[in-house]
Amino acid sequence: MSMSDAPVLSRPAKSLLDLIGKTPMVEVTRIDTGPCRLFLKLESQNPGGSIKDRIALSMIEAAEKAGWLKPGGTIVEATAGNTGLALTLVGKQKGYNVLLVIPDKMSKEKIQHLRAMGADVRLTRSDVPHGHPEYYTDMAERLAQQIPGGYFVNQFANDANSEAHFKTTGPEIWEQMEGDIDAFVAGIGSGGTITGNAQYFKSQGSKAKIVLADPVGSALAGLINDGVAGPDGSYTVEGIGQNFMPETTDPDLIDVAYSIPDAEAIATVRELLLKEGILAGSSSGTLIATALRWCREQTEPKRVVTFVCDTGAKYLSKVYNDAWLADQGLSQREIQGDLSDLINRKYVAGDVVVIGPDDTLDTAFKRMKGDGVSQLPVIQDGRLVGILDESDIVHIMNTDEITRKERFAKPVSSAMTRDLDTLQVSETLDALIPIFDRDRVAIVLDGETFVGLIARTDLINHLSLNR
């Protein structure tokens, strides 16, 4: 079957569940792929925004068929977010309750999305190993046993996980690539994606290399390449990587594995958006970085397939947030050796939320709420003239002399602090301590030019990253 030159439009579906799968494929043309051609299957185009829609439908239907999930029952699962979104989408459409246990490092967009869809979200620790009572899979299994009608999906050991990819994803890729695939790149979250697709390709007689993309800090690349778990560590990429080999995974199907640092994965996914216009999630950065490494190592033209696993809209506060990356030590910037190294949100770059002295307290408070800050520098004609803290607003509010509306209409200049604790950017870290002892935030200047603010958390974060 030949590939179509134009998308084929389908008739209206009766349910979102009918739209799961059949996702498009696009070739990377503006990023260096060496002698190879790299194709991305856009699983972000599924109704729930990720590849996990496929396995959610498969696992729920398998549980219904086996009688494990009955009307009015509760779907319980441990998830990094996307499987939870998919299970909630499918489960709610079918009338089930959904309870999800999620590690606390997951993006707030995913958690907010889940709760908005009606899922019962339980956050647990992301710094404990498999087997610990607060590890997310252990906690989910325990809760499922306690809830009447609870069904523990357990994507990590559920045969319907890999079966979904064997029956749908693999055949779609095979058709779209006309059976011409030299390498297939995937990660291991629950293990079903790489296993199901690899099994399908081999069932068709394909000799495509099966390549594992793994974050640095995950054990899996070491297990595949050397038979020994890689060095244990933390990583910010969500949805892939484990400190154990999931039961759904057949490691014998995998030819080679690559370990990708967070910084490389994030730089890759941001380059993908800049050059190809594709907004992808963090795990996609790990997959595409791996695919690019493999492609650039080749000496002959090859055809390589990997995924955009989910949409980057779920990671705007993290992967696509420069200040967050700097807080994590993942931004590429030069160390100056002065107080500017502690300031990840600089005024000159437009990263600092500010207020003017003639603005109202109502405007100031809304900016504080909207950006999650407790103080605002007050700027007039490009110069710092004061700082407004939440306590300054409280002081103005604590009076019965005027109405509430009149209080909030007062100008910032009536409440702001003009007695400022300023430091020159060239001063040492020790200069911060007396300011923090007075329960103040440090205001950093370069001459008379405002640079930014330093709070206690900024100092702690700096010391943590530069141990």
Side-chain angles (χ1 to χ4, degrees), residues 337-340 342 423-436 442 444 454 459 462:
D338 57 27
L339 291 180
S340 68
L342 282 70
L423 295 175
Q424 286 298 311
V425 72
S426 58
E427 295 188 56
T428 66
L429 298 184
D430 292 339
L432 295 168
I433 304 304
I435 293 176
F436 293 158
V444 180
I454 300 177
L459 175 59
H462 175 76

Side-chain angles (χ1 to χ4, degrees), residues 71-113:
T74 299
I75 296 166
V76 182
E77 181 58 331
T79 170
N82 280 326
T83 301
L85 287 166
L87 287 170
T88 305
L89 173 70
V90 178
K92 289 294 182 179
Q93 290 286 309
K94 288 176 169 286
Y96 299 112
N97 301 309
V98 181
L99 186 154
L100 304 169
V101 181
I102 299 182
D104 55 15
K105 76 172 184 177
M106 297 304 115
S107 68
K108 67 180 181 182
E109 288 92 347
K110 285 184 182 178
I111 295 168
Q112 290 168 345
H113 190 171

Side-chain angles (χ1 to χ4, degrees), residues 135-341:
Y135 188 71
Y136 67 141
T137 55
D138 298 83
M139 185 173 174
E141 184 173 10
R142 187 171 65 252
L143 286 170
Q145 293 170 351
Q146 296 169 355
I147 296 172
Y151 168 63
F152 179 41
V153 176
N154 194 9
Q155 60 182 308
F156 300 96
N158 193 319
D159 291 338
N161 181 343
S162 57
E163 185 178 338
H165 296 292
F166 184 87
K167 289 184 174 179
T168 69
T169 324
E172 288 176 28
I173 293 172
W174 192 254
E175 178 181 334
Q176 289 169 311
M177 297 298 294
E178 298 181 307
D180 187 1
I181 307 169
D182 295 300
F184 169 74
V185 180
I188 293 177
S190 58
T193 301
I194 200 164
T195 300
N197 283 285
Q199 287 173 337
Y200 181 79
F201 298 146
K202 292 187 184 300
S203 75
Q204 299 302 303
S206 173
K207 297 188 182 303
K209 294 291 184 184
I210 307 301
V211 183
L212 172 63
D214 203 38
V216 168
S218 167
L220 302 176
L223 291 172
I224 294 299
N225 291 334
D226 307 312
V228 179
D232 187 32
S234 61
Y235 45 91
T236 60
V237 169
E238 300 179 24
I240 58 173
Q242 297 290 353
N243 59 8
F244 67 100
M245 187 69 72
E247 292 180 34
T248 55
T249 308
D250 182 352
D252 293 334
L253 294 171
I254 303 171
D255 296 294
V256 66
Y258 288 74
S259 290
I260 304 295
D262 281 332
E264 183 180 350
I266 291 169
T268 299
V269 81
R270 291 180 65 134
E271 182 183 16
L272 183 72
L273 178 58
L274 285 172
K275 295 185 177 178
E276 303 286 343
I278 299 172
L279 181 63
S282 58
S283 63
S284 302
T286 304
L287 269 60
I288 297 166
T290 295
L292 290 172
R293 281 199 198 180
W294 193 91
C295 286
R296 293 165 184 168
E297 290 172 1
Q298 306 310 303
T299 56
E300 298 178 356
K302 304 287 185 181
R303 287 159 63 89
V304 182
V305 175
T306 191
F307 296 108
V308 171
C309 308
D310 67 349
T311 172
K314 301 170 184 175
Y315 307 87
L316 296 178
S317 65
K318 299 177 78 171
V319 172
Y320 297 96
N321 180 343
D322 292 338
W324 183 87
L325 293 178
D327 286 341
Q328 305 302 310
L330 295 172
S331 61
Q332 297 179 351
R333 64 173 187 165
E334 294 183 7
I335 298 297
Q336 302 300 318
D338 57 27
L339 291 180
S340 68
D341 295 335

